[in-house]
Amino acid sequence: MKKNTNLRSLAALAVEQVLEQGQSLSNVLPAMQQKVADKDRALLQELSFGVLRTLSQLDWLVNKLMARPMTGKQRTVHYLIMVGFYQLLHTRIPPHAALAETVEGAVAIKRPQLKGLINGVLRQFQRNQEALLEEFAATESRFLHPAWLVKRIKKAYPQQWQSILDANNLRPPMWLRVNRNHHSRDEWLALLEQAGMKGFGHDAYPDAVRLETPAPVHALPGFEEGWVTVQDASAQGCMNYLLPKNGEAILDLCAAPGGKTTHILEVAPEASVMAVDVDEQRLSRVYENLKRLGMKADVKQGDGRYPSQWCGEQQFDRILLDAPCSATGVIRRHPDIKWLRRDRDIADLAQLQSEILDATWAHLKTGGTLVYATCSILPEENCEQISAFLKRTPDAALHETGSVERPGVQNLPAADEGDGFFYAKLIKQ
């Protein structure tokens, strides 16, 4: 059977699986990329991510230019036309090539009879592009976020909401973490320059490097040898508050894919680290990261709400709880979050976070440190969560992060900065 190797139709199918079946793009895309030549994988990724990043614009255009919506089995065509619009609006692909390849995609998804329709809609867009975009710019959809999320971000950040939405719509920078056991950051930056690339350090996070231009990992000096790891700057910020020490028993909870587990072991190679995650499949990534860096940790599958099931009565000197959250701080990396999350999810996640916090606190030694972190920007999951915890937990004290009125430190996404991220450092008295 002939493989479908039409990139545009594969991107349309990937987007369809996200929006119609609730799959995450990072789960769907690798299988699609297997179907195309190595040289085409980056473009397939760009088209799939790009359509989800600008979805409300593309969706508005399709609905505007079509007499009636494509439903049922024809729905893939709706997404294929979106892929066409995305190329015309947001890439440097020559318009004639974008058009021809997108129309040809109808054959790959076994809808050859609709080639004329697809061609007609795309050409109509080309003819009226300026007027259409002007009309779109006056709609609520122009923010490229669902209305419920815009409303929440506006309420939480009345001054900054627009810059947050803008940052979410950008392509993310590529941040790396230099393994201090091999090189200092400056030494590794010199190696990077020798390899013909340029990077910049972060003012607040001592191991963080932002690449001027994202690059494949195999091009990075010493990646296979464990000299460097891909990890966002804000995620690295956890170590500024956790401050792990050699000889301590440290729990990394909700640890997959293992970026923070390995960072703990880079800072404190003699620490005894337990890495726990509820998702068995994602734990394989923790093992891969440990193996590449030549490290050991006690890796376990377990639910954060029931610690006694996986650690018995054990007490820890330090706990890093990177709590399950809405991931609203990492939308630029995972644009599908905007369309997979629902408003009602936030209360459910806040409830889950508070249960995990309470259960985990019992396993922290007196005098020990717990760092609560999320990649969310929503107060319900962050400062309000910690505020409520402090009120109901007499032996918990906030340390160095925020104030009693507004506990914790909130990073917001910005062009050359880290992702949206929250930290609160708690000490058990």
Side-chain angles (χ1 to χ4, degrees), residues 22 128-129 139 223 226 229 238 265 279 324 354 402 405 420:
N128 304 303
Q129 180 169 339
T139 68
F223 180 80
T229 294
C238 291
L265 286 162
D279 187 336
S354 71
E405 298 76 49

Side-chain angles (χ1 to χ4, degrees), residues 38-192:
D38 287 358
K39 67 176 172 55
D40 293 330
R41 287 181 183 177
L43 179 57
L44 177 55
Q45 180 168 323
E46 164 64 22
L47 295 177
S48 311
F49 272 80
V51 168
L52 288 164
R53 194 177 292 123
T54 56
L55 184 75
S56 40
Q57 181 191 46
L58 308 176
D59 205 31
W60 184 89
L61 288 168
V62 176
N63 293 329
K64 187 83 185 160
L65 292 172
M66 292 191 56
R68 58 174 192 272
M70 309 295 277
T71 53
K73 290 187 173 169
Q74 309 292 27
R75 193 71 181 148
T76 316
V77 177
H78 179 96
Y79 297 119
L80 183 58
I81 294 170
M82 280 189 183
V83 172
F85 287 154
Y86 179 74
Q87 294 167 88
L88 294 171
L89 277 169
H90 301 290
T91 73
R92 293 180 186 160
I93 296 166
H96 66 273
L99 235 75
E101 286 291 331
T102 305
V103 170
E104 215 36 58
V107 178
I109 58 168
K110 301 185 172 57
R111 301 280 183 283
Q113 71 280 17
L114 295 175
K115 282 170 75 170
L117 171 81
I118 296 168
N119 188 46
V121 172
L122 292 175
R123 288 191 182 282
Q124 194 188 341
F125 168 70
Q126 281 184 301
R127 284 194 299 274
N128 304 303
Q129 180 169 339
E130 211 168 304
L132 285 163
L133 293 180
E134 206 171 303
E135 191 183 337
F136 173 75
T139 68
E140 281 299 301
S141 302
R142 70 185 184 277
F143 299 119
L144 309 182
H145 284 63
W148 71 266
L149 186 54
V150 174
K151 191 176 161 189
R152 277 185 182 266
I153 294 174
K154 259 187 186 175
K155 187 184 166 199
Y157 304 99
Q159 260 69 59
Q160 299 139 295
W161 67 274
Q162 206 139 11
S163 61
I164 293 169
L165 298 181
D166 290 345
N168 285 349
N169 295 331
L170 296 172
R171 289 176 176 80
M174 184 169 178
W175 283 98
L176 307 169
R177 184 184 83 228
V178 176
N179 185 343
R180 56 176 78 178
N181 297 314
H182 289 285
H183 300 91
S184 72
R185 181 168 68 183
D186 288 348
E187 286 166 352
W188 191 83
L189 278 168
L191 294 170
L192 186 69

